[in-house]
């Protein structure tokens, strides 16, 4: 029982980062009908942003977090400018291919700059372990979860209760009508990409610090998993994507704990296959494109 | 009487297929004018060109100021509001949120609340359903909301695309009365309608499009009396 609870706890901590990466991915798809294949590189940019901030600016955790998110947001706006804006409104495969290209370029740019081996991120959060009975959790795990939770709640509030969030939902459903009522659709698109990049960047900072490294190709697996989360959840409710992200983390942790950790990364794809066979529109339903 | 809208030499094409060829029309302030014609005559394309939603050539002026070539959201800020064909509400937003979107560029201060109250007086059903999702309304209620959404932006020009489409005859009757009431309060309206008979009852003047070209124009009475128009559009 203790092992089970411990793995669930570990899973929730990691799952929260899947959730925020997947949320941005799903948000961009809902609003812009763009499968942004460069999204995982926002995560990677966040981790390297953290590395650069620690090396050249500050080792204060909040400064590092802000630095990583900022770098990710800048990369996000560059991707929007290069690979999304020029092909706006085109068939869904065209931005898919364009963003794949820019994503690959970003990976190899990072490899050029930082080398093909992971770079070490020094610990900026002291290694403190909290125990509750048989369960233990590190401070950085809690920080990771807290950041993700704040971002999830914040995004939900933004989308539901603010003027620009409302405009974002309107653009997601009917971009032409939203424009005819005064919404600058291009601005909403940039805003949405920016928000998705900030969230993925925060996850990159957390994971970079948690695993003490940043790597040019670290986005690949994370990106695939967040893609899986979106497909499994469907993109109708952002809550669905959050829940699936958390569940995926838990499931992976249980498989590592009870079966073997080498199968951990296969879990997401196994779940995807099953869900696509049983409910092709995702568990919570989706908009048709 | 001052001229609110003037369109000249309007050309719209989708790829190599021309939809509108050399259309000219005017809307004096305070009038209702209708664009009539069969399916595919270029009526909706004309409206979309005025809104900046399709690429068009020619000149479009609002009170003498050119608006063609502006982005759609800028054209709205000049006081142009749209009741689209098939309503096109934000169905995943509530009734009230749809109204807030209507007033997006005006903000939702006390001013907005009084405009919402005004539209609720005109359409009391919407007040009852204000927190319901727009997608759950009946066809008639959806049309009310589409009009209310356009009115809360306090436009100078209201563009209506097929307002009667898909509505029951009794609802259509009431709808056209309401359009007349809105016009009587001073709002200028350019309306596209396939239901020529109804449209000519409330319009001051109408344009007849055929295959993208202007085939006839004149006061509602003149067109109503014209034998060609009778035969082609009024079923008699």
């Amino acid at each position: 029982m203790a092992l089970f609870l411990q793995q669930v706890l570990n899973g929730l901590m990691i799952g929260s980062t899947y959730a925020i990466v997947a949320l941005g991915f799903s948000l961009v798809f809902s609003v812009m009908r763009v499968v942004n294949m460069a999204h995982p590189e926002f995560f990677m940019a966040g981790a390297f942003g953290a590395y650069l901030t620690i090396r050249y600016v500050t080792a204060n955790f909040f400064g590092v977090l802000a630095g990583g998110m900022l770098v990710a947001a800048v990369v996000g706006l560059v991707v929007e400018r290069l690979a999304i804006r020029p092909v706006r409104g085109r068939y869904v495969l065209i931005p898919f291919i364009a963003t794949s290209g820019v994503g690959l370029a970003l990976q190899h740019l990072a490899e050029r700059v930082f080398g093909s081996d992971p770079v070490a991120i020094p610990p900026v959060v002291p290694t403190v372990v909290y125990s509750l009975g048989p369960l233990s959790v590190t401070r950085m795990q809690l920080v990771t979860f807290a950041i993700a939770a704040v971002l999830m709640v914040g995004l939900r509030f933004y989308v539901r209760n603010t003027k620009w969030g409302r405009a974002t939902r309107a653009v997601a459903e009917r971009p032409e009508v939203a424009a005819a009522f005064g919404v600058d659709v291009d601005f909403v698109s940039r805003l949405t990409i920016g928000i998705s990049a900030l969230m993925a960047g925060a996850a990159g900072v957390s994971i970079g610090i948690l695993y003490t490294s940043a790597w040019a190709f670290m986005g690949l697996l994370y990106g695939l998993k967040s893609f899986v989360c979106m497909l499994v959840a469907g993109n109708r409710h952002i809550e669905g994507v959050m829940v699936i992200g958390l569940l995926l983390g838990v499931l992976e942790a249980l498989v590592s704990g009870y079966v073997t950790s080498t199968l951990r990364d296969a879990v997401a794809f196994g779940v995807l296959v099953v869900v696509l066979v049983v409910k092709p529109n995702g568990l919570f339903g989706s908009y048709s494109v | 009487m001052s001229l609110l809208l003037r369109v000249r030499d309007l050309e719209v094409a989708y790829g190599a297929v021309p939809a509108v060829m050399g259309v000219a029309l005017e809307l004096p302030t305070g009038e209702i004018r209708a664009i009539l014609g069969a399916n595919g005559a270029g009526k909706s394309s004309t409206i979309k060109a005025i809104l900046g939603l399709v690429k068009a050539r020619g000149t479009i002026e609002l009170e003498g100021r050119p608006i063609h070539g502006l982005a759609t959201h800028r054209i709205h800020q000049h006081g142009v509001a749209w009741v689209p064909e098939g309503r096109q509400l934000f169905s995943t937003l509530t009734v009230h949120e749809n109204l807030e979107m209507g007033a997006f560029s005006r903000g939702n201060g006390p001013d907005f609340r009084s405009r919402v109250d005004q539209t609720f007086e005109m359409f009391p059903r919407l007040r009852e359903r204000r927190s319901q999702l727009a997608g759950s309304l009946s066809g008639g209620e959806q049309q009310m909301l589409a009009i209310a959404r356009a009115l809360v932006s306090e436009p100078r020009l209201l563009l209506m695309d097929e307002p009667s489409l898909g509505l029951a005859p009794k609802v259509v009757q009431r709808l056209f009365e309401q359009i007349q009431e809105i016009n009587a309060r001073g709002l200028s309206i350019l309306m596209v309608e396939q239901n020529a008979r109804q449209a000519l009852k409330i319009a001051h003047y109408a344009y007849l499009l055929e295959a993208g070209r202007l085939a006839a124009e004149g006061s509602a009475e003149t067109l109503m009396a014209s034998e060609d128009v009778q035969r082609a559009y009024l079923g008699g």
Side-chain angles (χ1 to χ4, degrees):
Chain A
M1 193 60 188
L3 173 66
F4 179 78
L5 289 178
Q6 181 65 53
Q7 289 307 93
V8 168
L9 187 65
N10 292 344
L12 286 175
M13 302 296 134
I14 291 297
S16 69
T17 64
Y18 294 158
I20 54 173
V21 176
L23 263 179
F25 196 54
S26 173
L27 186 69
V28 167
F29 178 70
S30 300
V31 174
M32 303 160 71
R33 296 292 181 264
V34 167
V35 180
N36 178 16
M37 296 304 286
H39 187 70
E41 309 328 320
F42 303 164
F43 170 80
M44 180 265 285
F48 277 110
Y51 167 78
L52 292 173
T53 308
I54 295 168
R55 187 150 169 203
Y56 296 108
V57 188
T58 173
N60 174 286
F61 176 74
F62 292 103
V64 173
L65 179 64
M69 289 172 78
L70 188 69
V71 169
V74 169
V75 171
L77 295 180
V78 168
V79 168
E80 193 273 342
R81 184 69 194 85
L82 290 181
I84 296 176
R85 208 185 308 173
V87 292
R88 249 192 91 69
R90 304 280 290 277
Y91 179 61
V92 69
L93 271 182
I94 292 173
F96 179 94
I97 292 166
T99 53
S100 300
V102 173
L104 275 174
L106 286 169
Q107 286 171 19
H108 290 276
L109 180 70
E111 191 193 20
R112 273 284 160 139
V113 175
F114 300 102
S116 50
D117 294 323
V119 297
I121 295 181
V124 288
V125 172
T127 314
V128 180
V129 179
Y130 301 99
S131 305
L132 182 77
L135 303 180
S136 61
V137 61
T138 67
R139 180 180 291 182
M140 190 55 212
Q141 275 183 307
L142 285 178
V143 167
T144 297
F145 188 82
I147 291 168
V150 166
L151 288 174
M152 284 189 267
V153 171
L155 180 74
R156 194 167 178 279
F157 180 82
Y158 167 74
V159 168
R160 294 200 166 212
N161 301 89
T162 69
K163 177 177 173 169
W164 285 99
R166 192 158 54 236
T168 303
R169 282 182 289 148
V171 168
E173 191 180 343
R174 301 188 185 281
E176 284 196 342
V177 183
F181 283 100
V183 180
D184 183 345
V185 174
D186 285 332
F187 178 72
V188 168
S189 300
R190 283 197 286 283
L191 202 60
T192 306
I193 286 278
I195 289 169
S196 84
L198 285 174
M199 293 200 300
V205 172
S206 293
I207 292 297
I209 295 174
L210 207 55
Y211 295 147
T212 66
S213 66
W215 184 43
F217 302 100
M218 68 190 287
L220 190 63
L221 200 55
Y222 246 79
L224 282 171
K225 285 179 187 174
S226 64
F227 191 44
V228 168
C229 288
M230 181 181 91
L231 290 175
V232 167
N235 63 328
R236 176 161 287 176
H237 305 290
I238 59 174
E239 291 83 357
V241 183
M242 296 183 203
V243 170
I244 296 297
L246 291 170
L247 279 182
L248 178 62
V250 170
L251 211 56
E252 282 188 0
L254 291 176
V255 167
S256 316
Y258 285 99
V259 191
T260 158
S261 57
T262 52
L263 273 179
R264 188 186 117 141
D265 293 329
V267 170
F269 306 102
V271 170
L272 177 65
V273 170
V274 172
V275 170
L276 286 184
V277 169
V278 182
K279 286 199 78 172
N281 277 334
L283 296 180
F284 303 101
S286 69
Y287 293 120
S288 53
V289 182
Chain B
M1 200 182 309
S2 70
L3 207 54
L4 178 62
L5 176 74
R6 167 185 254 169
V7 176
R8 277 177 302 176
D9 308 319
L10 189 70
E11 310 260 345
V12 179
Y14 300 103
V17 185
V20 176
M21 289 168 281
V23 165
L25 56 85
E26 294 177 344
L27 180 65
T29 306
E31 280 198 15
I32 302 182
R33 291 197 167 189
I35 305 175
L36 310 175
N39 236 341
K43 307 187 300 290
S44 289
S45 297
T46 303
I47 294 284
K48 286 194 166 177
I50 296 169
L51 287 162
L53 287 172
V54 293
K55 279 214 176 94
R57 287 199 298 192
T59 57
I60 302 168
E61 291 171 354
L62 204 64
E63 286 180 340
R65 299 230 305 264
I67 56 166
H68 51 268
L70 293 181
T72 299
H73 68 276
R74 295 254 177 258
I75 292 173
H76 172 78
Q77 287 160 3
H78 281 83
V80 180
W82 184 32
V83 178
E85 180 178 355
R87 275 76 80 181
Q88 301 199 31
L89 298 173
F90 302 115
S91 63
T92 53
L93 273 60
T94 65
V95 168
H96 194 257
E97 284 178 326
N98 269 273
L99 295 177
E100 287 177 310
M101 283 312 299
F104 182 79
S105 50
R106 309 291 308 259
N108 45 6
D111 212 49
F112 167 70
R113 256 162 280 159
S114 79
R115 273 177 283 137
V116 168
D117 282 340
Q118 267 178 33
T119 57
F120 281 164
E121 267 161 47
M122 191 180 302
F123 306 112
R125 293 294 290 274
L126 295 181
R127 190 196 299 274
E128 293 165 31
R129 300 183 185 273
R130 61 189 302 165
S131 48
Q132 235 170 281
L133 292 184
S136 70
L137 301 179
S138 75
E141 290 165 349
Q142 291 200 5
Q143 188 57 270
M144 290 177 200
L145 181 55
I147 294 172
R149 178 178 65 178
L151 292 182
V152 290
S153 68
E154 288 198 302
R156 292 189 289 168
L157 167 62
L158 184 62
L159 301 173
M160 303 185 91
D161 198 347
E162 304 278 7
S164 76
L165 196 75
L167 298 181
K170 240 173 87 181
V171 181
V172 171
Q173 190 70 37
R174 178 79 193 106
L175 173 72
F176 277 90
E177 285 167 23
Q178 278 162 333
I179 294 172
Q180 246 177 336
E181 283 165 30
I182 292 164
N183 172 250
R185 294 183 192 181
L187 183 56
S188 315
I189 300 174
L190 182 64
M191 182 193 336
V192 158
E193 228 346 302
Q194 279 195 54
N195 189 339
R197 188 181 297 278
Q198 281 286 1
L200 286 175
K201 274 187 203 161
I202 63 166
H204 300 97
Y205 195 95
Y207 299 88
L208 204 66
L209 292 192
E210 265 176 22
R213 291 179 200 281
L214 208 53
E217 64 176 285
S219 70
E221 300 84 52
T222 317
L223 287 182
M224 203 73 116
S226 145
E227 278 184 20
D228 290 347
V229 175
Q230 288 246 343
R231 203 176 323 108
Y233 298 98
L234 302 174

